[in-house]
C-alpha cells in the first residue's frame, strides 16, 4: 500500500504540523481534516473530545490513510487511546515529540484549557526529564482569535501578554507551544519574550518522528514552495473562509472541500 498520511485538528492549527512535514518530506500524499464546524476543541469536555476523535478517525480510516497524525494537542491529551484503538494504522502524536525536545530545567507550556487540565504535558515532560519544573498556562482566547484571522489584532497581543506573565514570573527557560494553532503566533511571542527563552514547536518533533517512515528530510525544503499537489484539505464548514485564512501560512491558496460528519457533538 502506498503511503497516505491523515492529519486532523479542529481548524487551522494542524496546518502548522502539515507544513513542517511537507517542508521536510516534499509532496508526500496527505489528507487534512479541519473540524471547523466544532472549533475550538480546547473548551470542550473530555467526553466530547473523545467522541469527536472517534468520529474523525473513522472518517480518516475510510480514506485509507496509512498513518494518522494527531495534529491537535487537545485530542492527543484526552483521546490518544481512542485514536490508537480505532485507527488500525500507526498514530503519531505531539506531546511525546515535544517532551523529547525539552532541554531545560524550567519549562513553560502554553495550551488549551482542556490540555492543561489533562496534565499530559507535565506528565510526559517529567517522565522523560525528572526534576524539571513545568509551568502550564491555559490560553482559552488564543484559538478563537487565531481562527478569526487577524494575527495582528490588539486582542491577541493583550491575551499573549496576560498568558506569558506567569511563565516569565517563574523564570522559565523554554516554552512549549502546546497547541498547533500557537506557532502562528511565533512573531508575536518572539517579540514579547526575551531572546534567551526558547520556543518549542512540537510539529518539528513530529516531522522528525516521520523520518523513519518517509526517509531523510528533503534538502532545502524550507526554502521551497510547499508541494500541495498530493494534499487533500477538507473541513466541516466554511471551506472558502478556511482557504483564505490558511493562505498566509501555506504561502498559497489551497483547494478546500467541505465534508459532513454526523455526530451528537454540536458546535459551541
Amino acid at each position: 500500500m502506498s503511503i497516505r498520511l491523515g492529519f486532523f485538528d479542529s481548524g487551522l492549527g494542524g496546518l502548522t504540523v502539515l507544513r513542517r512535514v511537507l517542508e521536510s518530506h516534499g509532496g508526500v500524499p496527505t489528507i487534512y481534516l479541519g473540524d471547523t464546524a466544532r472549533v475550538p476543541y480546547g473548551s470542550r469536555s473530555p467526553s466530547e473530545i473523545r467522541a469527536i476523535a472517534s468520529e474523525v478517525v473513522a472518517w480518516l480510516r475510510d480514506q485509507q490513510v496509512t498513518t494518522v497524525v494527531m495534529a491537535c494537542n487537545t485530542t492527543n491529551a484526552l483521546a490518544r487511546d481512542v485514536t490508537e484503538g480505532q485507527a488500525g494504522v500507526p498514530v503519531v502524536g505531539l506531546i511525546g515529540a515535544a517532551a523529547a525536545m525539552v532541554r531545560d530545567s524550567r519549562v513553560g507550556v502554553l495550551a488549551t484549557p482542556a490540555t492543561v487540565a489533562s496534565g499530559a504535558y507535565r506528565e510526559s515532560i517529567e517522565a522523560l526529564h525528572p526534576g524539571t519544573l513545568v509551568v502550564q498556562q491555559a490560553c482559552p482566547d488564543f484559538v478563537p482569535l487565531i481562527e478569526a484571522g487577524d494575527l495582528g489584532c490588539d486582542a491577541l497581543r493583550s491575551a499573549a501578554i496576560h498568558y506569558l506573565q506567569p511563565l516569565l514570573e517563574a523564570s522559565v527557560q523554554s516554552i512549549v507551544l502546546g497547541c498547533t494553532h500557537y506557532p502562528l503566533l511565533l512573531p508575536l511571542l518572539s517579540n514579547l519574550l526575551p531572546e534567551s527563552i526558547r520556543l518549542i514547536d512540537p510539529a518539528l518533533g513530529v516531522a522528525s518522528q516521520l523520518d523513519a517512515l518517509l526517509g531523510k528530510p528533503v534538502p532545502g525544503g524550507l526554502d521551497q514552495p510547499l508541494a500541495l499537489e498530493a494534499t487533500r484539505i477538507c473541513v466541516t464548514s466554511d471551506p472558502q473562509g478556511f482557504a483564505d485564512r490558511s493562505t498566509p501560512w501555506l504561502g498559497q491558496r489551497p483547494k478546500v472541500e467541505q465534508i459532513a460528519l454526523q455526530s451528537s457533538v454540536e458546535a459551541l
Side-chain angles (χ1 to χ4, degrees):
M1 180 185 293
S2 59
I3 291 172
R4 181 180 294 116
L5 304 180
F7 294 74
F8 74 92
D9 185 35
S10 61
L12 284 170
L15 292 177
T16 64
V17 186
L18 175 67
R19 175 171 176 160
R20 297 307 185 201
V21 171
L22 294 181
E23 284 174 341
S24 295
H25 299 287
V28 59
T30 58
I31 296 175
Y32 180 90
L33 175 59
D35 189 11
T36 46
R38 296 181 293 198
V39 66
Y41 285 176
S43 300
R44 293 184 178 276
S45 68
S47 61
E48 286 179 312
I49 291 165
R50 291 173 69 82
I52 288 172
S54 177
E55 182 181 24
V56 168
V57 172
W59 185 85
L60 287 173
R61 189 176 61 238
D62 288 344
Q63 313 311 306
Q64 299 183 322
V65 301
T66 57
T67 299
V68 170
V69 180
M70 300 181 73
C72 171
N73 283 276
T74 300
T75 53
N76 197 152
L78 294 165
R80 175 142 189 168
D81 60 327
V82 173
T83 302
E84 291 178 335
Q86 297 191 15
V89 296
V91 175
V92 177
L94 291 151
I95 294 176
M101 298 171 71
V102 167
R103 299 289 182 268
D104 301 302
S105 60
R106 304 177 70 85
V107 180
V109 177
L110 298 175
T112 67
T115 298
V116 168
S118 76
Y121 263 104
R122 174 177 282 124
E123 292 173 8
S124 186
I125 292 171
E126 291 179 346
L128 278 178
H129 311 282
T132 300
L133 172 70
V134 181
V135 182
Q136 299 182 103
Q137 174 62 47
C139 309
D141 293 336
F142 271 171
V143 171
L145 287 169
I146 291 168
E147 288 284 333
D150 184 1
L151 300 183
C153 69
D154 291 340
L156 256 178
R157 182 177 178 85
S158 295
I161 291 171
H162 174 69
Y163 296 145
L164 290 173
Q165 189 60 37
L167 306 187
L168 292 172
E169 291 176 355
S171 300
V172 300
Q173 299 157 299
S174 56
I175 297 175
V176 176
L177 303 178
C179 171
T180 52
H181 282 71
Y182 298 175
L184 295 167
L185 301 178
L186 275 169
L188 172 62
L189 297 176
S190 298
N191 180 258
L192 294 173
L193 289 168
E195 291 184 4
S196 60
I197 296 180
R198 185 169 68 103
L199 292 170
I200 297 174
D201 180 0
L204 295 172
V206 168
S208 295
Q209 286 189 352
L210 289 171
D211 289 352
L213 173 67
L214 302 175
K216 294 181 179 179
V218 176
L222 294 176
D223 301 321
Q224 302 299 319
L226 285 189
L228 293 177
E229 294 81 4
T231 296
R232 178 187 173 199
I233 297 178
C234 304
V235 295
T236 51
S237 71
D238 191 21
Q240 297 308 310
F242 187 87
D244 291 340
R245 294 191 299 275
S246 63
T247 297
W249 180 246
L250 295 177
Q252 56 189 283
R253 194 174 195 277
K255 294 180 180 179
V256 180
E257 63 182 279
Q258 184 168 342
I259 60 102
L261 296 176
Q262 302 300 318
S263 174
S264 58
V265 181
E266 303 296 339
L268 290 173

